[in-house]
Amino acid sequence: LRKVALILFSEEVVLVGDGTAEPTVIKEADLHNKEGIAKCLEKVAADSPIQDTFDHLVKRFERARADGQTALGPALLAAILLAGRGVGNSLMLCTDGLANRGLGNLHLGRPEDLLFYE
């Protein structure tokens, strides 16, 4: 059975997971910290089949609003770690902005931020 997890991001990263538990928010202090992001994922449920979670996930997605900066790097890392929980998983990333908050902040032009995406 196919499973789907939702991660929303703008100023912060909201780990909705499969929607069966309260979302976990990755706060400012952890947006710059790989270990902090990984720790936040420990609480994220992503085991329920999509037929059981579809309506909730669609409603949550429809309420999402982009504003401010874009924590793309932390959200991408969270998605990769979450997808890595199983075999054959994939992820789809949708964004409307430049990665300019947290890990992989491309706005600053630092070499270590560019390396984050390699």
Side-chain angles (χ1 to χ4, degrees), residues 103-118:
L103 292 171
N105 183 339
L106 297 177
H107 182 71
L108 300 176
R110 299 180 305 198
E112 63 267 24
D113 291 319
L114 294 174
L115 290 173
F116 175 79
Y117 294 100
E118 289 188 4

Side-chain angles (χ1 to χ4, degrees), residues 59-79:
K59 287 177 187 172
R60 179 71 180 165
F61 181 78
E62 288 174 342
R63 289 193 322 255
R65 297 290 174 258
D67 61 333
Q69 295 181 315
T70 305
L72 187 147
L76 179 60
L77 177 60

Side-chain angles (χ1 to χ4, degrees), residues 10-12 28 31 69-74 99-103 105:
S10 59
E11 291 277 328
E12 58 191 14
E28 173 66 29
L31 291 177
Q69 295 181 315
T70 305
L72 187 147
N100 59 5
R101 186 163 177 83
L103 292 171
N105 183 339

Side-chain angles (χ1 to χ4, degrees), residues 42-62:
E42 292 173 2
K43 301 176 248 177
V44 176
D47 299 317
S48 297
I50 186 65
Q51 64 263 27
D52 296 342
T53 62
F54 180 80
D55 291 334
H56 177 75
L57 290 174
V58 168
K59 287 177 187 172
R60 179 71 180 165
F61 181 78
E62 288 174 342

Side-chain angles (χ1 to χ4, degrees), residues 3-59:
K3 301 169 188 170
V4 174
L6 180 63
I7 298 174
L8 303 170
F9 61 98
S10 59
E11 291 277 328
E12 58 191 14
V13 177
V14 180
L15 306 169
V16 178
D18 62 15
T20 60
E22 280 298 310
T24 299
V25 178
I26 300 177
K27 300 290 187 183
E28 173 66 29
D30 290 324
L31 291 177
H32 305 273
N33 180 333
K34 291 179 184 179
E35 293 78 20
I37 292 169
K39 185 144 182 74
C40 289
L41 279 168
E42 292 173 2
K43 301 176 248 177
V44 176
D47 299 317
S48 297
I50 186 65
Q51 64 263 27
D52 296 342
T53 62
F54 180 80
D55 291 334
H56 177 75
L57 290 174
V58 168
K59 287 177 187 172

